[in-house]
Amino acid sequence: MVRVLTAGHVNWDVTLRVDRLPEPDGESRIDSQQASGGGSAANVAVALSNLAVDAELLGSVGDDEHGLLARRELEAADVDLGSLLVAEDAETTVKYLLVDQEGEVAVLGNDGANEAVSPDDVDPEAVRAADHVHLTSQRPDTAARIAEVAAEAGISVSFDPGRRLADRDFSDALADSDIVFLNDREARTVLEDEYTESAFADRTLVIKRGADGAVVHTPDATYEHPGFGIDPVDTTGAGDAFAAGFLSALLTTDDHERALERGNACGAITAAEEGARAAPSVEAVEAFLDEQF
């Protein structure tokens, strides 16, 4: 079985379904609310485990009730928590996700303990024990350290830096990444030139386009997939599910077209259900794809 180490944020999410996203001096109605684990690294780890990939999580939570609940959910999903730091006398990061009737999401959050892992806390042996390392948003120096250890050990690295890409210097981690995931907005932030002329031309670049699918640029070819027509309920975690589906396929088949199809299927299934942890099983993905053709 392929083993993937995912590194980055572990949160506790409070999802508020509202009639519309609030505007300045405006008011929105809360139709429902639910709480569960979240954070991109944790979401990807759970999604990979659902897809029959051996997943370990490198991240941090506080030693509070939210951290305990988050750990229990992850353990129930068979995610290895051997590299999860429990920060003493710290609060677990809580994110408030506002989801409108079209499934669009706005996020509020506190700093919390989700970046308590420093470069010195990274266990090189845990990194070297993986077949692949997947980085998500976290402290840039920590991401750089993990990527450095993986690169020196000849282990492939993927990086999905997320919405804070424009505000943080992830250049060192990006330099050691073999696969980079960006959405359209993030791609515009970092790519000023055509792909073939950019600093990303020697690696695989995956651009997520939401309902419009995704495109993959490799040094040798470009692949596109239009996505699947679904009615989104909650897009929270859909990008994480896409990354998990893409990686689970690519790491076992080395087929970029299959990886795109699986990634888009996982993203669509997740967006059609409530919550960031709606990523499907292998059987659910196959059943979904059978219905499309």
Side-chain angles (χ1 to χ4, degrees):
M1 182 183 292
V2 175
R3 183 174 181 81
V4 176
L5 176 70
T6 68
H9 291 170
V10 185
N11 303 332
W12 186 252
D13 286 354
V14 178
T15 302
L16 305 175
R17 298 194 64 81
V18 297
D19 59 339
R20 60 182 179 274
L21 297 180
E23 299 178 355
D25 294 323
E27 182 175 330
S28 300
R29 182 185 69 248
I30 298 174
D31 294 326
S32 67
Q33 69 179 59
Q34 66 179 67
S36 64
S40 286
N43 291 343
V44 173
V46 170
L48 286 169
S49 183
N50 288 347
L51 293 169
V53 174
D54 188 6
E56 182 174 2
L57 179 60
L58 196 168
S60 51
V61 296
D63 60 351
D64 57 359
E65 182 180 5
H66 290 146
L68 176 61
L69 293 172
R71 299 200 309 274
R72 285 178 176 172
E73 279 196 0
L74 291 162
E75 288 171 345
D78 292 326
V79 173
D80 185 341
L81 302 184
S83 295
L84 183 70
L85 172 68
V86 179
E88 295 184 5
D89 300 322
E91 294 183 352
T92 299
T93 299
V94 178
K95 299 287 185 179
Y96 294 87
L97 310 172
L98 310 181
V99 184
D100 70 13
Q101 295 177 342
E102 282 71 47
E104 294 300 317
V105 181
V107 182
L108 303 172
N110 65 325
D111 287 338
N114 67 5
E115 295 200 348
V117 177
S118 72
D120 292 338
D121 294 315
V122 175
D123 179 4
E125 292 308 311
V127 178
R128 296 181 189 123
D131 297 302
H132 179 81
V133 171
H134 179 67
L135 305 173
T136 68
S137 183
Q138 59 196 289
R139 283 178 50 166
D141 55 350
T142 302
R145 175 58 179 158
I146 297 168
E148 177 187 37
V149 173
E152 289 176 349
I155 297 167
S156 57
V157 176
S158 56
F159 192 10
D160 190 344
R163 61 174 58 90
R164 296 182 67 184
L165 175 62
D167 304 321
R168 315 189 83 173
D169 183 6
F170 286 120
S171 56
D172 289 341
L174 288 168
D176 282 327
S177 298
D178 303 285
I179 304 170
V180 178
F181 292 91
L182 303 171
N183 62 28
D184 280 330
R185 177 183 55 78
E186 292 157 0
R188 289 192 295 271
T189 298
V190 299
L191 301 179
E192 297 178 355
D193 304 313
E194 291 295 324
Y195 168 74
T196 54
E197 300 173 358
S198 77
F200 291 85
D202 61 346
R203 69 203 69 198
T204 296
L205 176 62
V206 185
I207 299 180
K208 300 174 288 185
R209 295 175 171 171
D212 295 324
V215 59
V216 175
H217 300 290
T218 75
D220 301 315
T222 293
Y223 307 90
E224 293 189 60
H225 189 284
F228 300 99
I230 55 101
D231 293 323
V233 173
D234 182 354
T235 58
T236 308
D240 299 325
F242 171 93
F246 183 92
L247 291 172
S248 68
L250 188 67
L251 294 173
T252 55
T253 67
D254 197 29
D255 184 334
H256 289 86
E257 291 181 295
R258 179 179 175 85
L260 265 180
E261 180 183 68
R262 290 322 192 254
N264 279 326
C266 289
I269 294 169
T270 301
E273 300 181 23
E274 291 188 18
R277 296 281 173 83
S281 64
V282 173
E283 295 76 16
V285 172
E286 295 301 331
F288 176 84
L289 291 172
D290 286 343
E291 293 174 356
Q292 308 302 311
F293 303 106

